[in-house]
Amino acid sequence: MLDDWAFYAAETYPSAIFYNLSPTSSNDGKSSRRAALPQAPGNHRQVQYYSTLDRFPFPRDTFEAVVLRFPPASSDAVFRNLIAEGKRVLKPAGYLEMSILDLDMMNMGNRTRRAVRSLKVKISVADPSISLASAADTVLRIVGKRGFHDIKSCKVGVPVASTVTASSKAAGNSDSEEKDISLAEMMKDESSVGDAGITKMVARVGCWWYLRCYELATLANGNMSRSIFADTALLRECEKWNTSFK
């Protein structure tokens, strides 16, 4: 999982203890980003974990819950290992929660479909072992085979692109002003301006997750200008088709 998520989850639920598996070391003094973060809560534990094909560094029946958030494009073997290890370290009646982002989007137009097809080719060239099938379907199938019970799934559509409404422009909201508005403040605004702000923020987060999960490994030197979302025409098509991440 991402370091930041476990950090803030620990702050939100101080009575629970969170163990975060990450290649990042808790005493990594070379990271200026980590140095800029506030001190980790006392209930937060950072544990180095380098390969998703390795065993989790915990004994059996250790945790009440295991959470896996937005794993990057992976092989079926990786998913099988993560789910098997999650099962091993969970206590009886423990919970496995997984947030999965699929490679294919919903309601894709021709331009977006071609871009995703091209991305699949690049991913396959970079690592032929990576599965290009629906990650969500793969995970559900493996979870069922590993003996989990009471399996529930929820599909959520996150917009790929959004525009600032005319009413927002009329109100004089510039991009710089919008950045200073928190999500909590937007949710209190019941007008179309608030809805537009939330949609724009959610779309930005969705693009970031998609980039991290699927595009990053295919971009030479992390060149974001080669991202499919750098294509303005593609974004316009996504707005027209109401394309969404799944």
Side-chain angles (χ1 to χ4, degrees), residues 4-246:
D4 290 354
W5 183 86
F7 184 96
Y8 291 112
E11 284 193 327
T12 305
Y13 303 98
S15 61
I17 299 178
F18 290 82
Y19 289 81
N20 184 61
L21 297 185
S22 166
T24 305
S25 170
S26 59
N27 56 2
D28 182 5
K30 296 180 181 179
S31 174
S32 58
R33 178 174 175 271
R34 176 161 293 277
L37 289 172
Q39 184 67 30
N43 59 330
H44 179 277
R45 310 283 188 271
Q46 186 79 3
V47 180
Q48 281 192 305
Y49 181 70
Y50 292 107
S51 173
T52 48
L53 288 171
D54 290 345
R55 286 169 63 89
F56 291 169
F58 306 106
R60 183 181 298 275
D61 301 341
T62 300
F63 299 104
E64 302 285 351
V66 171
V67 179
L68 181 66
R69 286 173 53 80
F70 304 109
S74 303
S75 65
D76 285 358
V78 166
F79 284 124
R80 285 195 296 268
N81 183 65
L82 292 175
I83 294 169
E85 282 299 288
K87 175 79 170 179
R88 182 181 67 82
V89 301
L90 276 172
K91 294 179 180 179
Y95 287 88
L96 173 67
E97 178 184 311
M98 305 182 73
S99 299
I100 308 296
L101 180 63
D102 269 346
L103 177 54
D104 284 313
M105 306 174 201
M106 295 186 289
N107 303 324
M108 292 188 291
N110 291 333
R111 192 180 191 92
T112 306
R113 196 177 301 278
R114 286 195 299 269
V116 172
R117 187 183 303 122
S118 176
L119 176 58
K120 288 181 178 180
V121 172
K122 294 177 183 177
I123 292 174
S124 183
V125 170
D127 187 348
S129 71
I130 290 178
S131 173
L132 301 179
S134 166
D137 290 344
T138 298
V139 164
L140 283 174
R141 183 179 69 252
I142 297 173
V143 166
K145 290 182 178 180
R146 290 304 306 182
F148 283 92
H149 302 283
D150 193 24
I151 300 172
K152 297 179 181 179
S153 65
C154 175
K155 293 183 179 180
V156 179
V158 177
V160 173
S162 66
T163 57
V164 179
T165 61
S167 58
S168 175
K169 293 179 180 178
N173 292 337
S174 66
D175 287 341
S176 61
E177 289 174 329
E178 286 181 11
K179 292 178 182 178
D180 295 329
I181 302 176
S182 69
L183 178 60
E185 291 172 323
M186 291 180 187
M187 293 180 69
K188 292 178 181 178
D189 186 350
E190 299 181 359
S191 69
S192 59
V193 176
D195 290 342
I198 293 173
T199 303
K200 188 173 184 179
M201 178 180 290
V202 170
R204 188 181 299 119
V205 172
C207 288
W208 185 87
W209 276 114
Y210 193 89
L211 174 70
R212 176 185 175 274
C213 291
Y214 295 109
E215 286 196 276
L216 203 55
T218 69
L219 300 177
N221 301 317
N223 185 3
M224 302 302 180
S225 65
R226 303 302 297 271
S227 167
I228 63 176
F229 304 117
D231 183 352
T232 304
L234 181 143
L235 293 178
R236 290 201 188 100
E237 180 186 80
C238 288
E239 293 169 5
K240 179 180 179 181
W241 284 67
N242 292 320
T243 308
S244 60
F245 301 113
K246 180 171 62 174

